[in-house]
Amino acid sequence: MTASTMVSVMLPGVHRVRKRRANGGVAEYWYAWRGGPQILKAQANSDVLLAREVARATPKAIQAYEVERKPRGDQNYLYGLITRYLVTMAEDDTLAARTKADRRKHLDRARSDLGQMELRALESRRARATLIEWRDRYKATPKTADELLGAVSTVLKWAHDRGELATNPVEDFPRLYKSNRAEVIWEDHHLEILLQNSEPEFQFAVRLAALSGLREGDLIELPWSAVGTDSIVWQTNKSRRRRTIVIPMTKPLQKLLAEIPKHATTVLASSRKRPWKQAGLAAALRRARLDALEAARKAQNDPQAESGIEGLRFHDLRGTAATNYLLAGLEIADVALILGWKPERVREIAARYISAEAMGRAMVKRMGKNAPKTKAVNRLVNRTQAAPRRATNS
């Protein structure tokens, strides 16, 4: 266990900063939480000497941390309520580590800004407006602002469920951030640009995402053992392995999997023949974007030209997968189940990117698979095909 990990375990949520000094030395500072009070300050001329200074100062830092993390005054303030929730949250095994880290960061900000607010004030008619006004102080970054108030709302709901509050004043609060990327997908011409400017290993990742609809985290962890003859069966990362998805083995997906070399236990591997990391995929996408942009400007002899794939994210390949499934003959409800989306979202994509003619062909394909093969139907088909064309009088 590294020293950094040990500190995180002993002092959950502590914010550590290390800096190189102008004189060649090094310094380390600890804060009870990001933006909170400083609980440790150590300076030395080398990393080895700094480690000794930090070790010497750690016991006092732990005492200061415990003091700062205790509810201030009695239990009647929002500071104390948030602190009690954080203790409970730390012991909750159903929450992912990333969720806990993000929520703690937002609640540290809330404690700093609103900690002295009395709990009885949360039950007044003015409470909702007060908390929304606080959220609006951060409206320059609307998504973060909503996440801040959302974290507070989680605490208030927790307190309401346990009888500490009569109500949650910001339940279903109006959001500042509105994003609907359901209609944003990588179309064929976008994929052509991306793949032409990508390294081979990244091309496999892009194609697999566009054909399977797997989330990025699941995509890079997908093992060969999950690949079957008729489907891919995988317990998703998103659900902490509690949700199993079944991805039908379409012919294009089957062909792609046959192309991918088996360099690792995972289906996808980087140029080093190791499983991809999300940071690696992001870096590969950035390189592809830059290469595509350079190629476009060179081809058009225009330094202001664009590549045509600006604004598209790797995650938008899930929308591409939705169109591929629909065109393969799957029903909207099936596609929604595979992707974990609401059917309405799949319909939005179908309405925008799939023509009525293409949807009709998909329906015929589906009907062809499901239609009963009775003698009556066969006679009708054969009779229709054999019937001579009747002449018309003009």
Side-chain angles (χ1 to χ4, degrees), residues 20 40 54 66 68 73 99 108 112 136 143 159 169 177 200 242 306 309 329 331 341 361 386 391:
R20 293 287 173 184
L40 180 145
V54 169
E66 291 174 349
E68 292 296 338
T99 300
D108 282 343
S112 178
D136 290 347
K143 185 177 181 181
Y177 180 74
R242 291 192 301 272
E306 295 185 341
I309 58 175
E331 296 187 15
W341 287 355
R361 288 197 298 270

Side-chain angles (χ1 to χ4, degrees), residues 168-205:
N168 173 6
V170 287
E171 185 177 6
D172 297 326
F173 64 90
R175 263 58 176 181
L176 292 173
Y177 180 74
K178 300 184 185 302
S179 174
N180 181 10
R181 298 186 62 87
E183 296 184 356
V184 180
I185 74 169
W186 292 80
E187 298 181 69
D188 288 345
H189 63 282
H190 296 136
L191 287 173
E192 185 177 353
I193 294 170
L194 180 64
L195 294 174
Q196 284 177 349
N197 293 279
S198 302
E199 57 199 62
E201 294 79 11
F202 184 62
Q203 291 177 15
F204 286 134

Side-chain angles (χ1 to χ4, degrees), residues 42 48 55 70 87 100 120 137 158 165 175 186 208 221 226 238 245 268 278 284-285 315 321 378 382 389:
V48 173
K70 282 183 180 178
V87 171
K100 290 182 179 180
R120 63 182 180 180
R137 286 163 51 184
W158 173 81
L165 290 178
R175 263 58 176 181
W186 292 80
L208 183 57
E221 292 187 5
K238 179 77 173 178
I245 61 172
L268 296 175
Q278 285 186 285
L285 179 57
H315 189 74
N378 289 333
N382 294 333
R389 185 174 181 179

Side-chain angles (χ1 to χ4, degrees), residues 108-355:
D108 282 343
R109 177 77 61 84
R111 280 198 301 190
S112 178
D113 292 351
L114 303 170
Q116 297 305 308
M117 186 176 187
E118 292 187 65
L119 296 186
R120 63 182 180 180
L122 293 170
E123 298 179 0
S124 71
R125 290 185 299 173
R126 177 66 185 162
R128 183 179 178 87
T130 298
L131 293 173
I132 289 177
E133 286 170 5
W134 168 72
R135 184 276 310 271
D136 290 347
R137 286 163 51 184
Y138 300 97
K139 65 182 179 182
T141 52
K143 185 177 181 181
T144 299
D146 284 343
E147 289 173 350
L148 284 168
L149 190 52
V152 171
S153 180
T154 298
V155 174
L156 300 185
K157 180 182 183 302
W158 173 81
H160 171 62
D161 291 343
R162 284 155 181 76
E164 293 193 47
L165 290 178
T167 184
N168 173 6
V170 287
E171 185 177 6
D172 297 326
F173 64 90
R175 263 58 176 181
L176 292 173
Y177 180 74
K178 300 184 185 302
S179 174
N180 181 10
R181 298 186 62 87
E183 296 184 356
V184 180
I185 74 169
W186 292 80
E187 298 181 69
D188 288 345
H189 63 282
H190 296 136
L191 287 173
E192 185 177 353
I193 294 170
L194 180 64
L195 294 174
Q196 284 177 349
N197 293 279
S198 302
E199 57 199 62
E201 294 79 11
F202 184 62
Q203 291 177 15
F204 286 134
V206 171
R207 292 168 63 193
L208 183 57
L211 291 174
S212 69
L214 282 168
R215 294 181 177 87
E216 191 173 344
D218 294 319
L219 192 75
I220 60 179
E221 292 187 5
L222 180 68
W224 282 109
S225 59
V227 179
T229 304
D230 299 317
S231 62
I232 294 174
V233 181
W234 178 234
Q235 292 177 308
T236 70
N237 199 1
K238 179 77 173 178
S239 63
R240 292 176 61 82
R241 310 298 181 200
R242 291 192 301 272
R243 177 175 176 264
T244 300
I245 61 172
V246 179
I247 298 171
M249 189 66 70
T250 60
K251 288 184 178 180
L253 180 57
Q254 189 176 39
K255 181 180 178 182
L256 170 62
L257 290 169
E259 289 181 41
I260 299 176
K262 296 184 178 181
H263 290 316
T265 56
T266 54
V267 173
L268 296 175
S270 68
S271 58
R272 296 182 179 180
K273 299 183 180 181
R274 298 175 183 171
W276 279 98
K277 294 183 178 180
Q278 285 186 285
L281 277 186
L285 179 57
R286 284 195 298 271
R287 290 194 295 271
R289 286 186 189 281
L290 291 173
D291 289 347
L293 184 61
E294 183 180 352
R297 290 178 175 177
K298 184 177 181 180
Q300 300 177 38
N301 194 25
D302 180 2
Q304 302 301 320
E306 295 185 341
S307 66
I309 58 175
E310 289 82 6
L312 288 167
R313 307 176 305 175
F314 192 93
H315 189 74
D316 296 327
L317 288 166
R318 301 194 76 214
T320 306
T323 66
N324 289 330
Y325 281 134
L326 291 170
L327 292 175
L330 271 69
E331 296 187 15
I332 285 176
D334 294 330
V335 177
L337 182 63
I338 293 169
L339 297 176
W341 287 355
K342 293 182 178 179
E344 292 75 14
R345 189 174 182 184
V346 181
R347 288 193 187 94
E348 287 180 26
I349 287 180
R352 176 162 183 173
Y353 292 105
I354 303 179
S355 68

